[in-house]
């Protein structure tokens, strides 16, 4: 973890604050557009937020947080109790939503989903790529960074207040794209579902706020062998791999516990994992919070 100090807390839209976190001991870990960090909050919660500042600024991170009335304690604490000058530990950046090279980009943002797309838009524009951002929200007052985007990018940006204008016509946007354009989308489930209908899967890159509900077979027990220590940890059918390892004294860092943040990634040396995450685990890796085993045992690099 890296220690930071809250330099600014700015109201950037109705119900949204932006935190500027300055490194307490010099430059912070580098990052690229699409990355997020874990914030270790003083109420013992760990929450993930996309970095929405400038990757060239190694001295500070910026994140934006929308207040959720159904909050599990993260956004509520940030909005009600955090103050300028408070020290927070943050993780090194992780990137499950990287920007791939392309001659043309369409960025689709819904509400707070603008945050990972801000540095993507900057990077693509600076590289001379053809870029378009379509940014939708209920009203202009609820859309963070809208003025910043319009002043910085002009007609590359289209702001859509859906209560007055309706939802963006994604089919029309798809028809106007060049053959090698990539689409990056972050927003609520309804926007992602519409994007999946409108754009070919090989051209669409999406980041979700929450996992997509899926159906799996019945959970079964298996064994996790920790290769470095030689310890074998039984994983009962009614317990996650993450919890079983933690209870056995082999703690694994974790954040979302929903298979969307990537903080509990493990290396699998042998055995067949059953991937239940929404990130797309690389070959030889798995996320311990949700994924299980298709084989009787897994050998892990622990």
């Amino acid at each position: 973890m890296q220690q930071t100090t809250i330099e600014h807390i700015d109201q950037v839209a109705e119900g949204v604050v932006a935190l500027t976190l300055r490194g307490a001991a010099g430059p912070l870990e580098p990052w690229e557009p699409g990355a997020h960090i874990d914030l270790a909050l003083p109420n013992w919660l760990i929450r993930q937020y996309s970095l929405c500042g400038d990757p060239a600024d190694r001295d500070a991170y910026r994140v934006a947080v929308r207040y959720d009335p159904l909050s599990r304690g993260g956004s509520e604490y940030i909005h009600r109790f955090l103050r300028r000058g408070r020290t927070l530990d943050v993780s090194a950046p992780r990137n499950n939503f990287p920007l791939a090279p392309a001659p043309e980009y369409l960025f689709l943002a819904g509400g707070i989903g603008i945050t990972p797309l801000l540095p993507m838009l900057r990077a693509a524009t600076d590289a001379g790529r053809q870029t378009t951002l379509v940014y939708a929200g209920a009203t202009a007052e609820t859309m963070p960074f809208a003025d910043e985007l319009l002043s910085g990018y002009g007609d590359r940006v289209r702001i859509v207040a859906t209560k007055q204008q309706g939802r963006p016509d994604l089919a029309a946007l798809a028809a106007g794209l060049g053959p090698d354009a990539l689409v990056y989308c972050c927003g609520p489930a309804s926007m992602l579902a519409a994007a999946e209908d409108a754009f070919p899967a090989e051209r669409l890159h999406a980041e979700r706020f929450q996992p997509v509900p899926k159906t799996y077979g019945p959970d079964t027990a298996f064994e996790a062998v920790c290769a470095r220590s030689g310890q074998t940890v039984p994983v009962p059918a009614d317990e996650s791999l993450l919890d079983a390892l933690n209870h056995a004294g082999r703690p694994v860092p974790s954040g979302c516990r929903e298979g969307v943040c990537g903080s509990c990634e493990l290396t699998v040396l042998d055995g067949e994992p059953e991937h239940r995450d929404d990130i797309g685990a690389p070959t030889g890796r798995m996320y311990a919070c949700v994924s299980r085993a298709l084989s009787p045992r897994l050998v892990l690099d622990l």
Side-chain angles (χ1 to χ4, degrees):
M1 297 292 260
Q2 310 168 90
Q3 191 174 79
T4 67
T5 300
I6 302 175
E7 185 175 59
H8 298 291
I9 303 179
D10 301 308
Q11 190 85 31
V12 292
E14 184 180 300
V16 181
V17 295
L19 308 181
T20 301
L21 307 169
R22 185 158 295 275
L28 294 165
E29 291 289 330
W31 61 281
E32 294 182 350
H36 68 271
I37 55 172
D38 297 342
L39 265 61
L41 300 174
N43 61 349
W44 303 102
L45 293 177
I46 296 177
R47 292 293 182 263
Q48 297 76 41
Y49 298 102
S50 294
L51 289 165
C52 58
D54 183 356
D57 182 0
R58 292 287 306 280
D59 295 320
Y61 292 152
R62 182 175 72 165
V63 299
V65 182
R66 183 181 295 283
Y67 175 69
D68 181 356
L70 301 178
S71 169
R72 294 175 298 166
S75 71
E76 180 181 28
Y77 189 92
I78 288 170
H79 276 255
R80 293 185 61 187
F81 301 112
L82 283 187
R83 297 291 183 269
R84 180 179 176 182
R86 184 74 189 242
T87 298
L88 289 181
D89 286 338
V90 305
S91 71
R94 293 190 305 278
N95 200 343
N96 302 319
F97 192 40
L99 184 65
E104 179 184 355
Y105 297 97
L106 171 62
F107 300 108
L108 299 174
I112 198 64
I114 188 62
T115 51
L117 302 184
L118 278 173
M120 290 188 181
L121 177 64
R122 179 186 295 111
T125 303
D126 289 350
R129 305 295 186 255
Q130 184 176 340
T131 57
T132 301
L133 168 68
V134 178
Y135 180 15
T139 65
E141 292 75 21
T142 64
M143 300 169 71
F145 311 117
D147 291 341
E148 174 184 322
L149 286 162
L150 288 171
S151 63
Y153 299 97
D155 60 7
R156 295 175 187 259
V157 174
R158 178 184 166 198
I159 303 294
V160 182
T162 57
K163 282 191 174 180
Q164 293 79 35
Q165 301 168 260
R167 294 181 177 179
D169 186 344
L170 301 191
L173 290 168
L177 284 180
D180 298 315
L182 294 181
V183 181
Y184 280 77
C185 180
C186 185
S190 58
M191 171 176 270
L192 269 62
E196 288 170 346
D197 288 339
F199 303 100
E202 66 273 12
R203 298 172 66 183
L204 176 63
H205 301 259
E207 183 167 68
R208 301 179 181 277
F209 298 152
Q210 295 178 328
V212 178
K214 302 182 185 73
T215 302
Y216 298 96
D219 292 345
T220 57
F222 62 97
E223 291 183 338
V225 179
C226 303
R228 278 182 268 162
S229 68
Q231 182 179 2
T232 296
V233 177
V235 184
D238 60 352
E239 188 172 38
S240 70
L241 172 59
L242 177 68
D243 286 340
L245 290 170
N246 288 342
H247 293 155
R250 307 297 305 176
V252 175
S254 64
C256 71
R257 288 179 169 262
E258 295 180 322
V260 296
C261 80
S263 59
C264 62
E265 181 179 290
L266 295 176
T267 298
V268 181
L269 302 176
D270 192 28
E272 185 180 0
E274 180 184 37
H275 298 294
R276 298 184 177 186
D277 62 273
D278 274 81
I279 303 170
T283 302
R285 306 292 179 88
M286 70 181 298
Y287 300 111
C289 64
V290 294
S291 295
R292 300 189 65 80
L294 295 173
S295 54
R297 57 184 247 164
L298 296 175
V299 180
L300 306 174
D301 186 19
L302 282 175

